[in-house]
Amino acid sequence: MTDRLTITRPDDWHLHLRDGAMLAAVTPDTALHFGRALIMPNLVPPVVTGSDAAAYRARIMAACPDGASFTPMMTLYLTEGTDAADLVVAARDGIITAVKLYPAGATTNSASGVRDIDRVMPVLEAMAEAGVPLCVHGEVTDSKIDIFDREAVFIDRVLDPLRRRLPALRVVMEHVTTSDGIDYVRAGGESIAATLTTHHLFINRNHILAGGIRPHYYCLPVAKRETHRLALVAAATSGDPSFFLGTDSAPHLDSAKLAPCGCAGIYTVPNTLACLAQVFENEGALDRLDGFVARHGAAFYGVPVNDGTVTLVRTAAPQPVPDDRATPEGDLTVFDPLVPIHWAVEG
Ligand code: DOR
Ligand code: ZN
C-alpha cells in the first residue's frame, strides 16, 4: 500500500474566488496547494474587459500570502456586448487565458450572460481564429426542461451545433455531471476537453434530497443520479487527457446557503487533494492522479506543468473535515465528502 504520494504541484482549472472579504478569506487556501487556477469572472458586475481582468488579477495577487507560488489565470465573462478586439488583445497580451460562456440565468450571477448564441458568433469566430478557448457552463435555461436534463439537452441544442459550425473553436465543457457529457467529450477529439469537480465525484442527488434537504450539497449543475457519478469517477481516473480537475469551488456564506432560496456552490478547495487521492486510491489509480490534477489541463491550455511538488500522506485514521472558514461577514462551510478520507497534504 502506497502511503506517501508526491505529485506535481497541481492546477485548478475552474475556481471562484469572489471579491472583497471572501476573496481575502479563500485565496490563501488555493495558494497553499495549487500552482495556478483559472478564475471565474462571475463577479457583480462581471469581468468583461481586459482591463477588468487585469484589475481583478491585481486584487487576487494582493490577497495571496507573501511567498506564495500561485498564479491566477484570468477569464472574461462573455456577454452579447463583448468587444472581440479587446478580448483578442487581452489574450495576446497574456491577461486572459479563456472566455466563459454562461447561458443567461443558468447560475449564480449569470444575468449578463448569453441569451442568443447567434449574437456572439462574431466573437466566437475571433476566438477560434486567435486560439482562445471557450469555457462553457453547459446547461440550457429553458424552464420547460427538467433541471436534471439540462446538461444533456445543452449538448444537443447548443454545444454540438456550435462545434459543427465552428470546428476550430477550442471548448472546455466545465463541471461535467452526466455520462452524456463524458461520452460527448470522449468522442470529441482534441478541440474539446472537460473539467470535473471534486464534489461531483462524491455526491449524487440523494445526498441533496434524501432524508432531509442538505443545502451544502446544492450546486450547479446539480448532482445527478448514481450512474452518472460512477461515469465521472471512471473518466477522472481513466488517464484520458481530455479530463482534468476544475474544482468549481464556489464559496458562499452559510447565511446565503442556509436560506429559503439558498445559493448554489460548494467550497471544496481545502480538502480537494485529499478527497481526490481517496477516489484515485479506491479505483486503484493513484498513479493517474498527477495527470488529472497537474498535467492534462496544462497540456490543453498549452502551458508547462508547474515547478514544485505536493506530497500526500496516507493516514491510518480518517481525516477530519477542515474547520469552517471564518470571514468578517460570517462562516463558510468546507465540503464534507461523507466518507472516510485517509489522505492529507503534508506540511
Ligand atoms: O454551484 C455553482 N456555483 N455553480 C456555478 O455554476 C456557479 C457557482 C457560483 O458562482 O456560486
Ligand atoms: Zn463555476
Side-chain angles (χ1 to χ4, degrees):
M1 171 68 71
T2 311
D3 57 10
R4 274 174 73 82
L5 180 67
T6 296
I7 57 171
T8 310
R9 190 168 170 82
D11 296 315
D12 181 350
W13 291 105
H14 183 130
L15 177 67
H16 298 269
L17 286 179
R18 316 299 190 201
D19 218 338
M22 187 64 94
L23 173 71
V26 300
T27 302
D29 283 338
T30 286
L32 188 61
H33 293 165
F34 292 89
R36 293 172 293 221
L38 190 69
I39 311 300
M40 291 300 117
N42 61 333
L43 305 181
V44 189
V47 178
V48 291
T49 65
S51 83
D52 292 344
Y56 185 30
R57 188 180 190 288
R59 298 199 295 281
I60 296 169
M61 294 309 292
C64 280
D66 288 344
S69 115
F70 173 67
T71 304
M73 318 272 283
M74 308 308 293
T75 59
L76 292 187
Y77 184 119
L78 183 62
T79 75
E80 292 181 5
T82 293
D83 176 349
D86 174 72
L87 181 160
V88 168
V89 168
R92 187 199 62 201
D93 293 349
I95 295 165
I96 64 156
T97 299
V99 173
K100 181 72 188 274
L101 166 65
Y102 288 106
T107 187
T108 311
N109 305 335
S110 62
S112 321
V114 173
R115 270 161 230 285
D116 177 358
I117 196 106
D118 286 340
R119 302 190 68 167
V120 294
M121 278 315 285
V123 178
L124 297 176
E125 281 160 15
M127 287 170 57
E129 166 99 21
V132 183
L134 180 71
C135 297
V136 174
H137 183 110
E139 290 191 286
V140 289
T141 53
D142 182 343
S143 61
K144 292 192 206 65
I145 305 296
D146 189 275
I147 190 169
F148 292 102
D149 296 334
R150 288 182 181 187
E151 181 171 295
V153 173
F154 182 88
I155 295 169
D156 290 344
R157 284 195 190 168
V158 184
L159 186 56
D160 193 55
L162 171 63
R163 293 186 59 245
R164 286 175 195 278
R165 215 163 142 184
L166 214 48
L169 184 66
R170 306 186 72 234
V171 174
V172 182
M173 202 176 164
E174 299 291 338
H175 41 50
V176 169
T177 58
T178 58
S179 58
D180 312 68
I182 297 292
D183 293 345
Y184 185 71
V185 170
R186 254 199 201 115
E190 299 212 333
S191 66
I192 189 163
T195 53
L196 296 171
T197 76
T198 308
H199 48 280
H200 288 115
L201 301 179
F202 284 85
I203 61 166
N204 63 38
R205 61 199 200 179
N206 283 5
H207 292 99
I208 315 168
L209 294 170
I213 187 157
R214 293 191 174 75
H216 286 305
Y217 296 100
Y218 175 60
C219 65
L220 288 169
V222 69
K224 310 297 192 297
R225 60 171 66 238
E226 177 66 1
T227 47
H228 292 292
R229 187 188 72 83
L230 293 173
L232 305 183
V233 171
T237 58
S238 67
D240 182 337
S242 312
F243 300 104
F244 45 85
L245 176 65
T247 63
D248 196 15
S249 179
H252 292 280
L253 295 175
D254 288 353
S255 54
K257 292 287 295 173
L258 307 175
C261 183
C263 293
I266 306 181
Y267 186 54
T268 55
V269 162
N271 51 356
T272 268
L273 293 179
C275 288
L276 291 174
Q278 190 67 59
V279 170
F280 279 68
E281 182 197 330
N282 296 350
E283 299 304 306
L286 275 175
D287 57 326
R288 295 178 175 166
L289 181 63
D290 193 57
F292 182 68
V293 301
R295 293 181 181 273
H296 301 168
F300 183 87
Y301 280 104
V303 292
V305 300
N306 291 312
D307 291 333
T309 57
V310 169
T311 296
L312 287 142
V313 285
R314 195 175 195 290
T315 58
Q319 292 298 306
V321 175
D323 291 340
D324 289 358
R325 279 18 188 178
T327 84
E329 290 160 0
D331 283 354
L332 167 64
T333 295
V334 178
F335 175 60
D336 179 349
L338 296 171
V339 294
I341 301 296
H342 288 270
W343 290 88
V345 175
E346 190 175 66

